[in-house]
Amino acid sequence: MLNRPVSSPAFVFRTRALCAAMATAALLVTAGLPAAQAAYSPPSSNVAWLPAGADADVDKAFAQGKAEKKPVLVYWGAKWCPPCNQLKATLFNRQDFAERSKSFVAVHIDGDLPGAQKLGARFKVRGYPTMILFSPDGQEITRLPGEVDAPQVMNVLQMGLAGGRPIKTVLDDARAGKPISANEWRMLSFYSWDTDETQLVSPNDRPGLLAQLSAAAPASEAEASTRLLLKALAESDEGKGIKPDAATRERVKKLLADPVASRTLMDVLVNAAPDVVNALAPTAGPDRAALATAMDGALQRLQADAGLSRSDRVSALIARVGVARLDQPKETLRPKLPAPLLKEVRDMAAAMDKEITDGYERQAVISSVAYALGEAGLWTESDALLKSNLSKSHSPYYLMSHLGGNAKKQGKKAEALGWYEKAFNTSEGPATRLQWGSSYLSALVDMAPQDSAKIEKVAAQLFTEAAGQEGAFYERSARSLQKVGVELGKWNAKGAHQATLDRLRAQLAPVCGKLPAADGQKTTCEGLIKTRA
């Protein structure tokens, strides 16, 4: 369920994307003091989570795992993140998860804890949420998928807990043509490749690897092979991965016509349907039309499946909208969609808003439904849904950033910047504020480059806040600050704002001077504002 609005709706394909897009659409900075950081809150109350905000916390957890011969599950997330909230609403609150948690050490890294971003660098995690299962001796067994439904996650977790080998060893054997077990093929097919962070393979090589694994899977592991195939197709663009052919198209169409098989592979279909169709039929014509019709039929079944979570059913609807938009320019604000589909989007939005009572689920689903309305060109309805939920959200700044993104897409610059400002004013947590602030600065440079005073004020406040944070120059926070530097460089491309950049560089100098050089923090800090040639 992972980062299409604010870590690219990932939700690990769609919702992570949702998190990434919305954070990009995000937020602002004013001259006031940072919002107070919210008190630590565990992901669920029925699991003995160990909060980790420093290396010592994690070392203690691994020592416990080794002493008790228990694996260690590390969960990295954030309060505002929709897919993180989806995990809280559908997985972490399950009684069977609580029971299973007694057999491992559960570690929670909240991205806004003081040392969390440094821990992110240690574990090589970037996107929220990321779940990693380690053996008692500290070897990484697998990265758990966040986009599949909770029962499937439980199955994957159980496979990992049942003496699973490290995923790297399994992959090496599979690539070398050595025999691996049925469970290991399943582990490869469910592995969270989009949170791999080059642990096993680089992003550029991933489509080809997935295609290779799909072809290598034995006939007895048809489900794993097909899951790997669909994931390869989802990433097969710009000549990477699988080349479209009639046999693959027929294989996918047969899958889509099978209610049982398509339900089993629901996670890939609802999160990657438009990409799969586009990969198999890159141009408009009979092949694409036939595949789009077959895909829409499968997605309709999933959308109506009461056994799926509301989030997954909304994902199926978003996928249908995405497939219907394939032959229209991506930037189209009001696409031509069938009237029945538009009605379903409206009806789904009304139903979700009425039915959901759990706060975590509301945070996960409402932003996704609002995204569906926007993708369908129903901007007024999207805005109204977001506004009506501001008072119901534990992280309203996330919804405000979505409102800013809606306004920006429609060319309403003043309204967009206003929402970004409100979002920052209510944002909480050091890493969150840097992320939201960098996105707001980007919006200012894009939509109000003439407002030099505000751009300098925002950048200066971000640097001030970073100076007071323990982990500002690690992982997500470091990337947020680097984004500020890139945007300032773009803004000063012709040298008109050199004096401003000189003042900001002078502000940073003592901050950088206090940082250690050994772990790269100092280099990151000193490289934020480039010296103009």
Side-chain angles (χ1 to χ4, degrees), residues 150-487:
Q152 287 178 311
V153 178
M154 289 299 300
N155 288 336
V156 177
L157 177 60
Q158 179 57 32
M159 285 188 287
L161 292 172
R165 294 192 296 163
I167 191 68
K168 186 179 186 306
T169 302
V170 172
L171 177 61
D172 288 344
D173 284 354
R175 298 179 84 168
K178 297 179 181 179
I180 64 175
S181 71
N183 273 354
E184 288 172 338
W185 276 113
R186 295 199 72 214
M187 294 287 280
L188 285 173
S189 72
F190 276 106
Y191 181 71
S192 183
W193 295 97
D194 64 321
T195 64
D196 177 64
E197 304 301 344
T198 71
Q199 296 305 288
L200 301 180
V201 62
S202 71
N204 286 337
D205 295 333
R206 192 160 60 213
L209 172 62
L210 293 171
Q212 175 190 348
L213 291 173
S214 174
S220 59
E221 302 307 322
E223 180 187 322
S225 173
T226 305
R227 184 178 297 279
L228 289 162
L229 171 68
L230 292 174
K231 290 185 176 184
L233 287 169
E235 300 197 32
S236 294
D237 57 1
E238 300 175 356
K240 297 179 293 186
I242 296 176
K243 304 296 187 295
D245 59 51
T248 307
R249 279 193 292 271
E250 286 307 308
R251 179 180 176 182
V252 172
K253 285 169 66 176
K254 183 179 180 180
L255 159 70
L256 297 175
D258 184 336
V260 175
S262 56
R263 174 61 172 80
T264 300
L265 295 160
M266 170 278 305
D267 50 299
V268 192
L269 294 179
V270 303
N271 287 298
D275 295 326
V276 170
V277 172
N278 195 54
L280 288 173
T283 58
D287 286 339
R288 173 177 277 187
L291 193 58
T293 298
M295 182 67 79
D296 188 69
L299 292 171
Q300 284 189 57
R301 292 195 304 270
L302 296 173
Q303 179 186 323
D305 190 338
L308 292 175
S309 69
R310 293 185 181 92
S311 177
D312 289 329
R313 292 165 59 199
V314 171
S315 295
L317 179 59
I318 290 175
R320 292 182 62 201
V321 172
V323 170
R325 288 178 57 115
L326 274 176
D327 291 333
Q328 302 177 56
K330 290 183 178 180
E331 65 276 7
T332 300
L333 285 177
R334 291 176 175 78
K336 296 179 180 179
L337 301 179
L341 181 56
L342 286 174
K343 183 178 186 303
E344 289 185 67
V345 174
R346 288 189 171 103
D347 290 348
M348 179 74 84
M352 296 297 102
D353 193 29
K354 180 180 179 180
E355 294 172 6
I356 297 173
T357 57
D358 180 84
Y360 293 137
E361 186 180 20
R362 182 166 288 273
Q363 183 71 12
V365 175
I366 290 301
S367 56
S368 184
V369 176
Y371 176 79
L373 289 165
E375 286 294 283
L378 305 174
W379 297 104
T380 300
E381 289 96 325
S382 179
D383 286 348
L385 180 67
L386 292 166
K387 290 175 183 177
S388 70
N389 274 273
L390 289 174
S391 62
K392 304 173 186 177
S393 172
H394 59 61
S395 303
Y397 48 88
Y398 187 89
L399 304 185
M400 292 173 187
S401 70
H402 197 155
L403 284 162
N406 281 1
K408 181 180 179 181
K409 289 176 183 177
Q410 297 174 80
K412 302 176 181 178
K413 296 181 179 180
E415 182 179 336
L417 293 174
W419 278 116
Y420 292 154
E421 182 169 2
K422 290 179 182 178
F424 181 80
N425 285 340
T426 55
S427 64
E428 296 177 325
T432 293
R433 286 186 61 80
L434 292 183
Q435 181 176 340
W436 260 231
S438 68
S439 295
Y440 175 61
L441 185 107
S442 177
L444 278 172
V445 169
D446 182 32
M447 293 185 282
Q450 74 286 352
D451 197 342
S452 302
K454 180 166 284 188
I455 289 173
E456 180 174 1
K457 183 178 181 181
V458 168
Q461 182 171 343
L462 284 170
F463 294 155
T464 297
E465 294 194 20
Q469 295 182 19
E470 178 181 331
F473 298 95
Y474 289 107
E475 271 305 327
R476 290 176 71 100
S477 291
R479 294 198 303 278
S480 295
L481 293 170
Q482 288 167 336
K483 180 179 179 180
V484 171
V486 169
E487 292 298 327

Side-chain angles (χ1 to χ4, degrees), residues 3-19:
N3 301 331
R4 233 162 247 185
V6 181
S7 282
S8 181
F11 272 52
V12 180
F13 304 144
R14 178 184 60 81
T15 308
R16 264 199 177 99
L18 181 54
C19 285

Side-chain angles (χ1 to χ4, degrees), residues 65-141:
K66 188 173 183 179
E68 298 176 0
K69 295 182 172 56
K70 289 182 177 181
V72 176
L73 178 69
V74 173
Y75 162 63
W76 153 279
K79 175 184 176 181
W80 51 265
C81 157
C84 303
N85 282 275
Q86 180 66 8
L87 284 174
K88 295 173 186 177
T90 61
L91 177 65
F92 296 154
N93 67 350
R94 289 171 61 103
Q95 187 57 39
D96 56 352
F97 182 83
E99 288 298 320
R100 192 69 48 79
S101 72
K102 297 175 183 177
S103 63
F104 58 81
V105 180
V107 179
H108 174 215
I109 305 175
D110 183 319
D112 279 308
L113 290 177
Q117 296 305 314
K118 182 179 179 182
L119 290 176
R122 171 174 173 173
F123 291 116
K124 296 180 174 59
V125 294
R126 295 189 175 193
Y128 300 141
T130 297
M131 294 182 289
I132 310 176
L133 183 65
F134 293 90
S135 66
D137 62 359
Q139 295 188 74
E140 185 170 318
I141 297 175

